[in-house]
Each structure stands twice: as C-alpha cells, then as structure tokens.
Amino acid sequence: MPSKTVSLVLGSGGARGLAHIGIIGWLEENDFDIRSISGASMGALVGGIYAAGKLDTYARWVKALEKMDVVRLLDFSFERQGLIKGDKVMSALRKLIGDFDIEDLPVSFTAIATDVDHQREVWLNRGSLFDAVRASIAIPTFFTPVEFRGRLLLDGGLINPIPIAPTLRDKTDITIAVNLAARPEKLEQPRTREKKEEDDKNSYRDRIGEFLDSLQERFIQRGEDEADLFDIINRSFDTMQATITRFQLAAYSPDVIVDIPRNACASLEFYRAAEMIELGRQRAEQVLATYVENNGN
C-alpha cells in the first residue's frame, strides 16, 4: 500500500510539546508522509524544525539538556512585559538549526500567534522561520511579546492551542491532531527520579535545580495549597487552552487525535526530553496502530 499523506496539527503546552518529536518519529517509521504542519507555541517550534529537515539534530540537543542548561538559556528581562526575553533560546536554535524562510521549506508550515491589539489569531507562513516561532511561543507573563510586521504578537495558544483550520484546504489523506491539554492521568516518571538521584551527587547542580524548581513553582506548576499571582495566571491559561481545544476538536473533527495528558510534565521541564519523546511515541503507537489496522495503511 502507498504511504498515507498527512496534515499534522501540533498543539501548545510547553515542554509537553517534546512529545511531538516522538509522534513524528513514529509516523516516519511507519511510512506516513507528512506534507503539512500547523503548530501553536511549542507545536510551532517542533513543527518548524521538522519542516526544515532538522528535527533529529534538535532532538539530540534537547535530550542532552540538564537543569542548569535550561537555566542558562533563560535571559531575564528588565521590562515589565515579561520575565524572559527569549534571545538566548532563539540564538541557540539558530546556531543549531540555521534559519530558513518558511516559503522555502520542503514541508508546508504555518505557525500560529495571537495579535493582542486586534484580538485575533495570525497565521505566519512566510518569512523567517525562527521569527515566526519566537512570536508563537511568547507565553504571556513569561516571554516578552514580539513586534512582528507592525503587530504585537503573543503565544498562539492564547487563542488557538490546536490550530486545525490552516490544514483544511490540504489535499492529504488524513489530518492528525496532537492535543497537549488532555485529561490528567497517573503517570510514572522514572527519568525524574533518576535525575534527582544524579543531582544529589553534586551540590552545585542541586542549587541550580532548586532554582529552576522555584521558577516552575512560581510561574508554571499548579496544584499547590497556596497560589500566587503567576500561578493563578498560568492555571487560568491552562484552563482556557483546554476549553478552546475541546471546542476546536469538536468543530473540526480531525481524523486522528493523539492525546498527551496535561500533567505529563511542567512547562519548563525541558530536561525531561527523553521521557516526553518516548511518551509521544507510545501514544502515537496506541492510537495510530489501530488506525493503520482499520484503514489498511
């Protein structure tokens, strides 16, 4: 049977978006032909790098990140618009991947951002790949906004955390959407326990880890007995994204939905890349193996 062509929709969700790498890997290993990608926030980052043909390079890099590496990539801003400028992250990615014009990529690609002045989503499908990605990942209160072509842009997940609409005119066999805002589940986290044991051997790395953990508690993690302002903002953001995602999936009904539980990891836990990539691969296997069996791919 010829391979099935795919329009791939990659949702937003911080470090959970590393699961996209495992899902893409499974699709390639099983002869799916990804022709089009639409992504919001982390989905735009992973999708854009894949469209440029550099996902293996990025996967090797991100799997090597440890807690203090993540901290080194955080360039704190003295502006009131956000905690992190994001220049270090984007500079590291440009050096690692190179920059490309979106219209020259071998795979059709659209990044979603939010125009806060006009209160609408913006589809970024031309110009610099990493300019588009930077706009799409501008998480409110965390990353500073981006001035892009005369517009002030923020994270695409604000208004469309699972952007299916850009793929509707694609002439592909199936549309696969990855939802990073799925219901929480009880998940084993063996890599996290291993990292803790390893970090206990080095007091300096302990201090770095504690610093990053404190950032997560303040800006990302939820479920604490006492919630501060930033925790409330981010919990509200998660709630909004989950609600919008449900409406989007109901309205557009993609052929296949791969769910990643929203408690799989916190948004800054990029040092858990190997675990998230494997989770993505497992969830793709669970959902798409059934699709293959029923549709004779």
Side-chain angles (χ1 to χ4, degrees), residues 32-44:
F32 286 84
D33 182 7
I34 301 171
R35 297 283 183 85
S36 170
I37 295 179
S38 176
S41 198
M42 192 61 185

Side-chain angles (χ1 to χ4, degrees), residues 30 50 57 62 105 120 123 128 134 145 154 185 187 194 205 209-211 218 255 266 272:
N30 289 273
Y50 173 77
T57 300
V62 77
L105 298 176
R120 64 186 183 188
W123 295 5
S128 164
R134 174 62 182 87
L154 283 171
E185 299 177 15
L187 297 169
E194 291 168 5
R205 289 173 64 187
E210 288 168 4
F211 172 68
R218 185 168 179 80
D255 299 292
R272 292 174 59 189

Side-chain angles (χ1 to χ4, degrees), residues 18 37 66 131 155 159 182 195 256:
L18 295 168
I37 295 179
E66 297 185 357
D131 283 352
D155 193 298
I159 199 165
K195 287 297 297 175
V256 178

Side-chain angles (χ1 to χ4, degrees), residues 17-262:
L18 295 168
H20 294 321
I21 299 173
I23 292 166
I24 290 172
W26 190 94
L27 290 171
E28 288 194 314
E29 291 166 7
N30 289 273
D31 298 322
F32 286 84
D33 182 7
I34 301 171
R35 297 283 183 85
S36 170
I37 295 179
S38 176
S41 198
M42 192 61 185
L45 191 152
V46 172
I49 291 173
Y50 173 77
K54 301 289 187 176
L55 191 58
D56 288 344
T57 300
Y58 174 73
R60 287 192 297 271
W61 177 77
V62 77
K63 283 194 289 187
L65 289 180
E66 297 185 357
K67 283 187 176 183
M68 61 182 177
D69 298 317
V70 176
V71 172
R72 289 192 185 112
L73 291 171
L74 301 180
D75 47 352
F76 291 91
S77 171
F78 295 101
E79 302 175 19
R80 298 177 63 183
Q81 293 180 312
L83 178 69
I84 304 297
K85 290 187 291 185
D87 294 344
K88 281 188 177 181
V89 173
M90 301 316 297
S91 177
L93 290 175
R94 282 186 166 95
K95 288 178 182 178
L96 180 72
I97 304 299
D99 206 351
F100 303 83
D101 286 335
I102 294 173
E103 55 267 38
D104 296 332
L105 298 176
V107 176
S108 176
F109 173 71
T110 302
I112 306 300
T114 300
D115 182 338
V116 292
D117 290 329
H118 296 91
Q119 298 183 334
R120 64 186 183 188
E121 67 184 85
V122 178
W123 295 5
L124 303 174
N125 51 23
R126 60 187 177 86
S128 164
L129 171 62
F130 281 117
D131 283 352
V133 167
R134 174 62 182 87
S136 189
I137 67 170
I139 303 169
T141 74
F142 190 77
F143 281 119
T144 56
V146 172
E147 290 189 14
F148 189 74
R149 297 176 189 163
R151 291 178 282 194
L152 188 67
L153 302 183
L154 283 171
D155 193 298
L158 267 174
I159 199 165
N160 196 349
I162 189 162
I164 301 168
T167 69
L168 293 180
R169 293 186 179 181
D170 291 347
K171 295 180 180 179
T172 53
D173 296 320
I174 60 172
T175 299
I176 299 171
V178 182
N179 172 24
L180 301 182
R183 292 179 180 274
E185 299 177 15
K186 290 184 179 180
L187 297 169
E188 293 184 2
Q189 299 178 344
R191 181 171 169 81
T192 300
R193 290 194 294 269
E194 291 168 5
K195 287 297 297 175
K196 185 178 185 303
E197 292 171 0
E198 179 183 339
D199 288 347
D200 285 344
K201 299 176 182 178
N202 189 306
S203 61
Y204 173 70
R205 289 173 64 187
D206 277 349
R207 292 194 296 272
I208 294 295
E210 288 168 4
F211 172 68
L212 184 59
D213 289 342
S214 71
L215 281 180
Q216 288 174 171
E217 289 171 5
R218 185 168 179 80
F219 295 98
I220 302 297
Q221 289 179 336
R222 64 202 79 126
E224 301 293 337
D225 292 335
E226 296 183 3
D228 65 14
L229 172 64
F230 294 100
D231 185 49
I232 291 295
I233 290 172
N234 281 283
R235 290 162 79 176
S236 300
F237 190 51
D238 277 349
T239 301
M240 178 186 66
Q241 285 192 316
T243 302
I244 296 172
T245 293
R246 288 194 293 270
F247 279 112
Q248 292 278 25
L249 292 174
Y252 293 110
S253 299
D255 299 292
V256 178
I257 302 170
V258 181
D259 285 328
I260 303 297
R262 60 180 178 267

